[in-house]
Amino acid sequence: TKVLLTGGSGFIAAHILEQLLAKNYTVITTVRTKSKADLIRQAHADLVEKGRLSVAVVPDIAVLSAFDDLVAKIASGRDGDLEYVIHTASPLFFTFTDAQKEIITPALNGTRGILEAVKRSAPSVKRVVITSSFAAILSEEHFTDPNTTFSESSWNPDTVKDANRSIATGYHVSKVESERLAWAFVKNEKPNFDLVTVNPPLVLGPVAHSLASVDAINASNERIADLLRGKWKTEIPETGAVDLYIDVRDTAEAHIKALELPEASGHRLFPVASRTSNHEIAKIIRDNFPEFAERLPGPEVKGGEHVDETKAYKWNCDETNKLLKIDWIPIEKSMVDTVNSLKDKGI
Ligand code: NDP
């Protein structure tokens, strides 16, 4: 069975790719540059050889027609029709100065571009899975409201006009507007495929072996790299309002189940393992990696404590748990495996 996976060099997508290949799917994945394509090809040379994996360069998803030629070319190939698409590529960084230009337009055009290309050229596609985010579920004004429960049916009310409120808001808007676009597309265009979105909160966990280097660490794991480099030695930073976490391997599995389960059709999946905090993360790593003791904050160092539950939103992901039945990886295991993967990368 053939799957198109966009953004294959990403933190989450690298795990999706590994799980798809392990499950015998034939995968075509896209990356932005030839050097990233070569890294993935090298990591899976045997499967490239067998025709089970190919890597295509799509330089910029902000260009609406970015996926057109590729989708038309692979829609029907020697090795069978394209059946599934997983769209993960979307900007995730917090150093932009122009939210509209740098993250919202690429996110929106990437989503519109892939949906249009598939509708136009790939009638064999049965399902498109899109990586959305908790950012499309949350509402910033209710972060400190214990009477608010975020779930699969919650929608972030912010729109492009709110994008400049803060850097975080700019990113949240890029995700919620892209997800709105996708559901509207399916409703209005009635394409050949159905849609499932995966809306993870903070994704942590080991970096896949095809990732280039620790310097290119993804945004959500930056806090772990900072901690290991000694930046939290005297004070642990605030955790932030997005303190729900999920391991990257579970996030990847949620995408695969989103693609495989007929009953997932039309659902928004909200995979959440638990609440966490920077304080808890620092403690787990200190307890498990004495070799980093000199760079880590001692037990007396304050900051980043667990939120006071009486002053914070609640969450509910029962619908997702019922559909996916995944036994979520706990934060301890996630952190130990993350640090080991970063040690392998030479941190
Ligand atoms: P990464 O930054 O590792 O992955 C982002 C992917 O998108 C990369 O493959 C990146 O390419 C690609 N990309 C970004 N901008 C463009 C562009 N303009 N043109 C082409 N490709 C582009 O982060 P994650 O793996 O964490 O993110 C993957 C998805 O998961 C995103 O949609 C993100 O919003 C979502 N998500 C992530 C969460 C997290 O905590 N990590 C939480 C919730 C949702 P390149 O490798 O070349 O940079």
Side-chain angles (χ1 to χ4, degrees):
T1 309
K2 217 165 23 169
V3 184
L4 170 61
L5 170 69
T6 70
S9 54
F11 167 56
I12 297 173
H15 284 273
I16 298 176
L17 177 64
E18 291 192 357
Q19 292 188 20
L20 284 171
L21 293 172
K23 292 194 81 176
N24 280 322
Y25 286 95
T26 294
V27 184
I28 299 102
T29 192
T30 68
V31 293
R32 285 199 260 195
T33 61
K34 184 178 175 303
S35 60
K36 288 183 183 178
D38 288 341
L39 272 176
I40 296 180
R41 289 188 192 112
Q42 278 158 24
H44 302 283
D46 52 329
L47 295 173
V48 172
E49 183 85 2
K50 287 184 188 135
R52 289 262 322 282
L53 171 66
S54 55
V55 189
V57 175
V58 172
D60 188 6
I61 54 170
V63 179
L64 256 180
S65 59
F67 293 109
D68 287 3
D69 292 347
L70 178 71
V71 172
K73 194 174 125 203
I74 60 179
S76 163
R78 270 182 301 132
D79 45 345
D81 289 342
L82 180 64
E83 283 187 41
Y84 300 109
V85 174
I86 303 181
H87 177 55
T88 78
S90 199
L92 177 41
F93 61 98
F94 300 104
T95 50
F96 53 84
T97 48
D98 183 338
Q100 182 67 49
K101 179 163 169 260
E102 292 176 71
I103 61 164
I104 297 175
T105 298
L108 283 169
N109 286 1
T111 305
R112 182 186 298 285
I114 190 81
L115 293 173
E116 284 181 348
V118 172
K119 182 178 181 232
R120 188 181 316 115
S121 315
S124 55
V125 170
K126 294 192 247 184
R127 178 167 291 174
V128 175
V129 175
I130 293 183
T131 317
S132 184
S133 172
F134 178 43
I137 287 179
L138 58 80
S139 75
E140 292 178 14
E141 64 172 309
H142 291 112
F143 277 157
T144 55
D145 175 9
N147 297 316
T148 289
T149 300
F150 294 127
S151 72
E152 293 87 351
S153 57
S154 311
W155 276 93
N156 184 339
D158 285 340
T159 64
V160 279
K161 68 178 183 341
D162 304 297
N164 294 323
R165 194 189 304 138
S166 73
I167 290 283
T169 310
Y171 171 70
H172 296 161
V173 166
S174 79
K175 295 305 287 181
V176 71
E177 290 285 26
S178 302
E179 197 193 323
R180 279 191 195 109
L181 184 157
W183 289 114
F185 184 93
V186 171
K187 184 166 173 250
N188 299 332
E189 304 277 326
K190 300 187 176 40
N192 40 296
F193 51 84
D194 63 5
L195 178 69
V196 182
T197 65
V198 183
N199 296 55
L202 179 66
V203 181
L204 301 171
V207 292
H209 66 286
S210 55
L211 189 101
S213 71
V214 193
D215 298 331
I217 191 113
N218 60 289
S220 54
N221 261 336
E222 236 157 46
R223 69 181 71 204
I224 316 298
D226 283 351
L227 168 65
L228 295 176
R229 288 180 179 127
K231 289 195 188 166
W232 295 11
K233 179 82 186 151
T234 54
E235 191 185 350
I236 303 173
E238 285 306 308
T239 309
V242 177
D243 59 355
L244 306 179
Y245 109 96
I246 187 76
D247 187 274
V248 66
R249 293 158 291 185
D250 287 339
T251 308
E253 190 180 347
H255 281 77
I256 312 248
K257 289 201 165 175
L259 173 151
E260 291 175 340
L261 292 174
E263 61 273 29
S265 178
H267 281 267
R268 304 171 82 207
L269 303 173
F270 183 32
V272 183
S274 69
R275 214 159 209 150
T276 188
S277 69
N278 284 351
H279 207 84
E280 178 180 47
I281 289 171
K283 179 177 183 333
I284 294 168
I285 296 181
R286 187 174 58 239
D287 290 350
N288 285 281
F289 295 93
E291 66 270 42
F292 283 110
E294 272 190 18
R295 292 191 238 164
L296 301 178
E300 73 294 348
V301 175
K302 301 230 173 333
E305 281 86 4
H306 212 73
V307 74
D308 175 351
E309 305 265 355
T310 64
K311 295 185 181 130
Y313 63 84
K314 298 185 173 56
W315 84 95
N316 180 317
C317 54
D318 289 352
E319 191 183 311
T320 303
N321 287 332
K322 220 170 122 190
L323 273 166
L324 302 188
K325 299 183 181 67
I326 299 175
D327 196 8
W328 307 121
I329 295 169
I331 187 77
E332 289 78 12
K333 176 173 170 46
S334 188
M335 287 303 99
V336 168
D337 294 349
T338 304
V339 175
N340 280 327
S341 79
L342 294 177
K343 276 171 71 178
D344 288 348
K345 296 277 171 196
I347 198 154

